[in-house]
Amino acid sequence: MSTVDKIIDAVFESDDDFRRILSTTIKEDLNLNMAEFAEQAGVPASTLYKIMSGKREPNVKTLRQIIKTVKRLEGSEKGEFIAVIAARPVLDNISETKRKICGNLCTIREYSATSMEEAIIAAVRAERDGAKALVCAPIVSPTVEKILRIPVATIMPKNSLFDAIELVAKKIS
């Protein structure tokens, strides 16, 4: 069930459920505070605060703006996200599933792979899932670029490469 579906279901359940689900969505899923969300939605911050405190119920227009904004920020309107294909230890270092890039909130979806074959399969799956772009290792990116229709960026681990060289040099010293 999508975030938007949860919000809509909560609207029909109770005011408390709606406020709880919307609050969680804004703070945890979208990584925004109420004022930032209000600005994105074109809803006065005071109106949003009154709704969240239970002092006011949202009218249909405000509810429509909230849903439309969550869809846009979440990228769920078109299922938009950027796929990252890497080994699990690399993916475990990704602390954000959403990140502001050029003023837009981008969703990052992880695809774990431990071999070339798994990475290629993950790339095809990511494109089928609706990825708008893909980030992967240099060993697989030339192959993936030939079979996908979405942009592919290659991970170029400059600092981690030198850190690994230093680590192994210390081990052999």
Side-chain angles (χ1 to χ4, degrees):
M1 177 181 287
S2 76
T3 304
V4 170
D5 290 335
K6 289 178 189 176
I7 293 170
I8 292 170
D9 284 352
V11 166
F12 292 107
E13 288 299 316
S14 72
D15 292 341
D16 289 338
D17 282 351
F18 169 67
R19 287 192 297 272
R20 182 179 47 77
I21 297 291
L22 182 59
S23 178
T24 300
T25 298
I26 292 169
K27 292 176 185 173
E28 295 175 17
D29 297 339
L30 300 176
N31 297 317
L32 298 172
N33 63 41
M34 292 296 168
E36 290 170 328
F37 182 80
E39 183 179 328
Q40 290 282 331
V43 173
S46 61
T47 300
L48 189 60
Y49 285 117
K50 287 176 187 173
I51 291 168
M52 298 309 288
S53 68
K55 294 179 181 172
R56 179 177 173 183
E57 290 184 19
N59 61 33
V60 175
K61 181 182 176 189
T62 302
L63 188 57
R64 217 179 279 132
Q65 286 176 269
I66 289 170
I67 297 298
K68 184 177 177 182
T69 303
V70 170
K71 281 183 176 182
R72 180 175 48 83
L73 293 174
E74 184 181 57
S76 66
E77 232 169 358
K78 298 176 185 169
E80 294 179 355
F81 64 92
I82 295 172
V84 177
I85 298 174
R88 178 51 47 203
V90 173
L91 295 175
D92 287 343
N93 287 320
I94 298 175
S95 60
E96 304 171 73
T97 56
K98 300 197 185 304
R99 184 179 190 129
K100 275 191 181 175
I101 302 171
C102 301
N104 295 322
L105 192 64
C106 293
T107 301
I108 301 165
R109 192 178 295 177
E110 303 171 358
Y111 289 81
S112 180
T114 56
S115 68
M116 291 272 293
E117 181 181 89
E118 285 182 11
I120 293 167
I121 291 168
V124 171
R125 184 175 302 126
E127 185 178 48
R128 284 183 183 163
D129 289 348
K132 294 300 176 193
L134 183 101
V135 176
C136 62
I139 197 161
V140 74
S141 63
T143 303
V144 167
E145 285 178 322
K146 291 175 186 173
I147 60 174
L148 299 183
R149 294 177 299 250
I150 59 175
V152 176
T154 305
I155 299 168
M156 298 304 285
K158 294 176 185 173
N159 293 339
S160 62
L161 174 64
F162 292 118
D163 292 345
I165 291 169
E166 284 182 31
L167 178 65
V168 77
K170 289 176 185 174
K171 287 183 177 185
I172 61 174
S173 297

